[in-house]
Amino acid sequence: YSAIRLGVEDEDKFFSTQERQSIVFHLLYSIRILENETLNGIKFKIDQSLIQRGLEKKLISQVIPLHNKEQLNHLRETWVWPKNIFKAQPIVDIRQYFGVKIALYFCWLSFYTRALCLPALYGTYIWYYSGQSQELDDKLFIIHSLLNIIWATGFLIFWRRRQAELAYEWNTLDMEQLEDTRATYKGQLRRSPVTNKYAPYYPAWKRLLFRLLVTMPMLIFNLVLVSFCILIIFRFQAWIDRQLKLGHLPSLMSLTQLLPKILLALVTTVFDDVYKRVCRWLTDKENYREQRTHDNQMIAKMFACACVNSYLSVFYIAFFTHTHIRLSDQLITIFVIKQFWDHVK
């Protein structure tokens, strides 16, 4: 109890910057419409959130907090500048300004970077002695795999301990965050039996029906389409290789071997953007109440699409054709095309 009251006399220390922003954010979203009204052709119903309705109808573009330049300059001096690369991160200042989630991420990043020093050491040792004989390489490969398994297991165990220490230190142990309704959540207004206030309600059976009749067929169709395109490009690559081997194409035309690789990189890059738009549209139409559920569904769709679009061709080249030169050429081509596409769009 005394820890909770600590600093209550000083308004600058009792709440952190992130906590103040969260309080103001919650108060803004708690503003409710008192009576039914129509403004500029937009209907505002009783007990709706004014901010959520404004965001939904594009009356409000975005709700963002303003930065504190003095604190940002302090973080820049003690954290961002390259001169601080060998110094410990100011986690306390990061938590005070950006909040627990951001601070925990940078704690994990620092912990993970330090933990990578161990596999880097024995990996360098194994790399130095590899290549002398096939028997030695096989033994080193097994040893390297076992060490990686031990390292990964130990990393997870020690990170859980470190995470528990930080949660206890920051008073967030076993704390669950209650999420507000998403701004774009739609549904029929009805009085909630819990809060006795009007709240949007969207039946679960409609969401399930949309997922079965729209989401799943669209995702399957898109995955089949990109798989078909990748298969056609592989057949085109095989035809070019065969023609060059038979001498039906001039030697200068060997540059045409790059054409299927470029086509494959373009297909995967373009479909990647298409999938993002499709997955975002499908997730919005499924209409989830909480942001966390919305994000998880979005990630699941994107992961399923990425497994086929981004990794199918690479796995096929690596494990079925067993041509490492072709694999490296394809990866380089994909990297260059993606960089070019990101700059063009």
Side-chain angles (χ1 to χ4, degrees):
Y1 179 70
S2 59
I4 297 177
R5 294 187 303 164
L6 185 63
V8 67
E9 298 85 1
D10 191 348
E11 61 180 12
D12 294 330
K13 295 182 179 179
F14 186 64
F15 288 120
S16 65
T17 303
Q18 188 271 337
E19 289 171 339
R20 293 174 184 171
Q21 293 173 356
S22 298
I23 293 172
V24 174
F25 187 80
H26 177 75
L27 291 175
L28 285 175
Y29 273 78
S30 299
I31 300 175
R32 299 287 172 174
I33 299 172
L34 300 179
E35 58 183 13
N36 295 330
E37 190 175 351
T38 301
L39 179 63
N40 294 332
I42 300 175
K43 294 182 179 180
F44 292 87
K45 297 182 180 180
I46 188 172
D47 223 22
Q48 274 187 322
S49 172
L50 180 63
I51 301 298
Q52 288 182 349
R53 187 63 174 171
L55 289 170
E56 179 183 343
K57 294 300 180 180
K58 308 300 181 183
L59 291 177
I60 301 174
S61 300
Q62 197 175 8
V63 180
I64 56 175
L66 297 178
H67 280 290
N68 187 314
K69 291 187 177 180
E70 182 179 351
Q71 295 185 13
L72 279 180
N73 291 332
H74 173 71
L75 287 174
R76 187 180 293 111
E77 290 292 333
T78 59
W79 181 36
V80 178
W81 289 117
K83 65 180 181 180
N84 304 312
I85 189 172
F86 295 109
K87 296 181 180 179
Q89 297 185 97
I91 297 298
V92 176
D93 295 337
I94 296 173
R95 182 176 68 89
Q96 288 289 329
Y97 190 78
F98 292 106
V100 173
K101 288 184 178 180
I102 303 298
L104 187 63
Y105 166 75
F106 282 104
C107 283
W108 174 86
L109 192 63
S110 176
F111 188 86
Y112 179 64
T113 304
R114 291 196 301 267
L116 285 176
C117 294
L118 183 60
L121 288 176
Y122 64 72
T124 304
Y125 178 83
I126 292 174
W127 169 80
Y128 180 79
Y129 285 98
S130 63
Q132 298 181 8
S133 64
Q134 184 63 40
E135 182 181 359
L136 180 60
D137 289 348
D138 294 340
K139 293 180 180 178
L140 291 176
F141 179 79
I142 296 174
I143 294 174
H144 190 221
S145 301
L146 292 175
L147 289 176
N148 283 338
I149 293 173
I150 296 173
W151 173 85
T153 305
F155 171 78
L156 292 176
I157 293 174
F158 285 106
W159 169 245
R160 290 195 192 101
R161 294 180 59 182
R162 177 58 178 162
Q163 186 179 13
E165 292 174 1
L166 293 173
Y168 179 79
E169 181 181 347
W170 296 344
N171 297 321
T172 58
L173 192 64
D174 297 329
M175 180 181 292
E176 294 185 3
Q177 183 178 2
L178 298 177
E179 293 193 38
D180 293 328
T181 303
R182 291 176 56 246
T184 56
Y185 178 72
K186 301 177 182 179
Q188 183 180 3
L189 283 179
R190 71 176 191 178
R191 192 176 294 275
S192 172
V194 179
T195 61
N196 200 29
K197 295 181 179 180
Y198 284 98
Y201 171 75
Y202 188 78
W205 66 267
K206 287 187 178 181
R207 184 180 300 112
L208 179 61
L209 193 65
F210 183 86
R211 294 186 66 182
L212 292 177
L213 299 181
V214 180
T215 301
M216 296 300 294
M218 284 192 65
L219 289 179
I220 292 174
F221 172 77
N222 289 331
L223 295 179
V224 171
L225 178 62
V226 71
S227 301
F228 178 76
C229 293
I230 292 174
L231 179 61
I232 293 298
I233 293 174
F234 280 150
R235 297 294 297 271
F236 182 46
Q237 178 77 64
W239 180 82
I240 288 181
D241 294 340
R242 187 167 56 252
Q243 295 299 317
L244 287 173
K245 186 176 181 180
L246 295 175
H248 294 168
L249 292 176
S251 58
L252 293 178
M253 292 296 293
S254 60
L255 295 176
T256 55
Q257 285 183 318
L258 290 175
L259 182 59
K261 297 181 178 65
I262 295 175
L263 287 176
L264 182 59
L266 283 173
V267 166
T268 55
T269 303
V270 172
F271 269 99
D272 187 54
D273 279 354
V274 172
Y275 283 146
K276 287 180 181 178
R277 296 176 183 271
V278 171
C279 292
R280 187 177 295 111
W281 180 81
L282 290 173
T283 309
D284 290 339
K285 288 298 182 181
E286 290 174 5
N287 197 27
Y288 293 97
R289 178 186 292 273
E290 296 180 350
Q291 186 66 40
R292 182 183 302 176
T293 308
H294 176 89
D295 294 341
N296 290 338
Q297 292 295 327
M298 180 70 180
I299 292 171
K301 294 181 181 66
M302 289 298 302
F303 177 76
C305 295
C307 285
V308 176
N309 183 57
S310 301
Y311 307 131
L312 177 62
S313 59
V314 176
F315 273 86
Y316 177 82
I317 297 173
F319 296 104
F320 289 93
T321 63
H322 300 287
T323 52
H324 300 293
I325 297 178
R326 180 179 171 184
L327 177 62
S328 61
D329 292 343
Q330 186 63 63
L331 290 174
I332 293 173
T333 307
I334 292 175
F335 175 77
V336 173
I337 294 297
K338 281 185 177 292
Q339 293 295 320
F340 175 77
W341 181 263
D342 291 338
H343 283 83
V344 168
K345 72 175 184 179

